[in-house]
Amino acid sequence: MQLPERTHLGATEHAPSDNCPSTGSVHRLRDAWWRLMDMRIGIVPLPVHILLALALIATAVTGKLSAELSPIIALLAICSFTCMEIGQRIPVFRSIGGPVILVTFLPSYLVFTQALPPAVVKPIVEFWKAGNFLYLFIPAIIVGSILSMDRKVLIAGFLRMFVPLAVGSVVAGVVGTAVGTMLGMGVFHTVFFVVLPVMSGGLGEGVIPLTLGYSEVLHHPAGELLAQAMPAVMIGNVTAIVFSGVLNAIGKRYPSLTGNGQLMRSGNDGLPEGAKSSAPMDVTDIAAAGMIAVCLYFVGTLAQNTLGLPGPVVMLVLAVAAKVFFVFSPRLEQGAGVVYKFFATAVTYPLLFAIGVVITPWQKIISSFNVPTVVTIVATVATLMATAFFTARRMKMYPIDAAIVVGTHSGMGGTGDVAILTAANRMRLMPFAQIATRIGGAITITLSLIVLARIV
């Protein structure tokens, strides 16, 4: 190939041909550089990762690292994707959700030991408290995955998933209580401070209102009761992450057991109806889908503030109704799918790193590790997910995906759902996970307080 003529300082000259040795060397160097650029740490090109890491270190050393959006994006991306890559390269560990565990809990340990300097921790904490970024991530994931989901699968999945959720919760409650009692913790403590907190729906929407209810009934300080119940939620979340990673590995070995993010079989392999449309999609459709997610979040927040209804559940119901009744065009549904994929790919691990820094206290995790409590929690979560696995087969659902969804019932609310589904590489199940977490947790709390009021 001959390069075009070029003019330099008034003189006309010809570029050397590709056959020229110097030009061939330039092309080889260019190709080598491009190959290096295509090597990535997470989603970040390797040279960019190195340069950005050096720039962040220099900024942190000078004390100039701020909580503004751009520096925080850079900081969380570099830290989280580095941890993710390490976790993916540890044999066995990577198959049980290692990347997620490392990204979530290593920063917690580094904060505890002060290995992560205050100049780095402070802007992350300030950003988290000011931006509440989790409530942008979850709407984007929920709305995006629902609108891009097959309509028949969505309806059938929502109707059928309550069976493995209910059966699994009951059986897990019985088994967990039996194990804790045999290990000497007593029936009352096992039920109300280990088993039920595991399935209460997380922290803010789960164990905190649960222990406030306990406080009213038992006339004990809520803080003391919360300290007893919180370890169960944390260990339950870690256990569900590990089991979800194991189920993901099993699904790769036995593909017939999993829909890789689908609960039910679909005639069009789970593609949304809009994917069949020939209507072109452009960037405005993606932006419009993002605004739809924000709009539904605000409506859910309004319902929570005025009617006392759980905001995420309202948002979820509205998104499902919009999908079922053909509210949005195929182009917008495709745009929602892109929004979902972007957040699932680019935002999940940085968000988990921030969660590890801000709201995962290492001291409480370690203090909760005593043998009877850990064994009881592991038995509860294992029974919950195993029961869902076998029940799902009778319901003509994919057993692995159903078990993972029900496993989120033992997580730490929205943050737990993110971690568990990421470990299983099934973020598309987020709508069903929210049902398991929010509605399953609400039912657990309500029944727990009714029973406690009757026996005290």
Side-chain angles (χ1 to χ4, degrees):
M1 180 184 72
Q2 185 76 22
L3 292 176
E5 292 185 0
R6 58 185 178 179
T7 302
H8 181 61
L9 296 179
T12 301
E13 61 184 29
H14 292 275
S17 68
D18 285 351
N19 295 326
C20 176
S22 62
T23 303
S25 298
V26 170
H27 286 177
R28 283 194 295 273
L29 288 173
R30 179 200 65 188
D31 293 342
W33 175 253
W34 284 352
R35 284 193 296 271
L36 191 63
M37 271 292 182
D38 287 336
M39 298 174 61
R40 298 178 183 178
I41 305 297
I43 63 170
V44 185
L46 180 59
V48 176
H49 185 279
I50 295 172
L51 180 59
L52 195 52
L54 293 174
L56 285 168
I57 291 171
T59 307
V61 168
T62 60
K64 300 295 185 180
L65 190 60
S66 72
E68 295 176 356
L69 185 60
S70 294
I72 290 298
I73 288 175
L75 176 62
L76 294 179
I78 295 302
C79 294
S80 64
F81 289 123
T82 300
C83 293
M84 184 201 76
E85 289 290 342
I86 294 171
Q88 286 182 338
R89 281 162 174 72
I90 302 176
V92 181
F93 184 60
R94 65 190 174 200
S95 299
I96 59 171
V100 173
I101 294 173
L102 204 64
V103 172
T104 306
F105 295 101
L106 178 59
S108 174
Y109 172 75
L110 295 178
V111 170
F112 173 69
T113 59
Q114 297 184 344
L116 206 60
V120 173
V121 174
K122 183 180 177 182
I124 296 176
V125 174
E126 290 177 353
F127 173 78
W128 180 272
K129 291 181 178 179
N132 211 359
F133 192 70
L134 181 64
Y135 290 101
L136 174 61
F137 177 83
I138 289 180
I141 291 291
I142 290 177
V143 175
S145 56
I146 286 177
L147 295 187
S148 61
M149 192 181 297
D150 179 82
R151 186 172 282 99
K152 293 180 181 178
V153 172
L154 176 67
I155 297 171
F158 269 103
L159 293 176
R160 295 192 185 190
M161 68 160 289
F162 285 102
V163 176
L165 177 62
V167 175
S169 298
V170 171
V171 177
V174 172
V175 172
T177 301
V179 171
T181 303
M182 287 189 295
L183 293 175
M185 290 196 296
V187 175
F188 185 85
H189 180 81
T190 300
V191 171
F192 290 100
F193 291 95
V194 180
V195 173
L196 292 177
V198 168
M199 297 185 288
S200 64
L203 293 175
E205 300 87 358
V207 73
I208 291 177
L210 179 67
T211 51
L212 287 175
Y214 287 176
S215 177
E216 293 290 329
V217 177
L218 299 175
H219 306 292
H220 284 297
E224 295 179 8
L225 300 174
L226 178 62
Q228 294 183 56
M230 186 177 290
V233 181
M234 294 183 175
I235 299 177
N237 193 70
V238 175
T239 305
I241 290 172
V242 172
F243 286 160
S244 295
V246 171
L247 286 171
N248 183 44
I250 293 173
K252 293 177 181 178
R253 189 181 181 102
Y254 302 100
S256 62
L257 295 177
T258 179
N260 292 311
Q262 292 179 243
L263 282 179
M264 311 275 301
R265 295 185 182 275
S266 169
N268 60 357
D269 296 327
L271 292 174
E273 292 88 345
K276 302 176 183 178
S277 172
S278 60
M281 179 189 66
D282 58 28
V283 69
T284 60
D285 298 314
I286 300 171
M291 290 306 302
I292 289 170
V294 172
C295 176
L296 293 180
Y297 164 74
F298 268 105
V299 174
T301 302
L302 181 63
Q304 181 168 328
N305 293 336
T306 57
L307 304 176
L309 300 174
V313 175
V314 173
M315 178 181 64
L316 180 66
V317 171
L318 290 175
V320 171
K323 178 69 177 181
V324 170
F325 295 108
F326 302 91
V327 172
F328 301 115
S329 68
R331 288 175 53 174
L332 288 175
E333 290 186 352
Q334 291 180 67
V338 175
V339 171
Y340 154 77
K341 290 177 183 177
F342 171 80
F343 275 84
T345 303
V347 182
T348 300
Y349 282 100
L351 179 66
L352 288 174
F353 190 90
I355 288 170
V357 170
V358 181
I359 60 174
T360 309
W362 183 257
Q363 305 94 313
K364 291 183 179 178
I365 297 172
I366 296 303
S367 65
S368 64
F369 274 84
N370 60 77
V371 173
T373 300
V374 172
V375 171
T376 301
I377 293 169
V378 171
T380 302
V381 178
T383 304
L384 179 70
M385 298 178 74
T387 304
F389 182 97
F390 292 107
T391 305
R393 302 196 70 166
R394 290 189 168 274
M395 299 295 297
K396 298 182 179 179
M397 304 168 73
Y398 286 112
I400 286 177
D401 300 86
I404 291 168
V405 167
V406 174
T408 61
H409 185 34
S410 58
M412 291 174 59
T415 57
D417 291 346
V418 173
I420 293 166
L421 295 182
T422 303
N425 194 26
R426 283 167 174 78
M427 193 64 76
R428 187 169 288 277
L429 293 173
M430 179 63 82
F432 303 105
Q434 286 285 298
I435 287 290
T437 302
R438 309 289 181 179
I439 296 181
I443 293 173
T444 299
I445 292 171
T446 302
L447 293 179
S448 302
L449 295 179
I450 291 173
V451 172
L452 181 63
R454 289 181 176 275
I455 64 175
V456 172

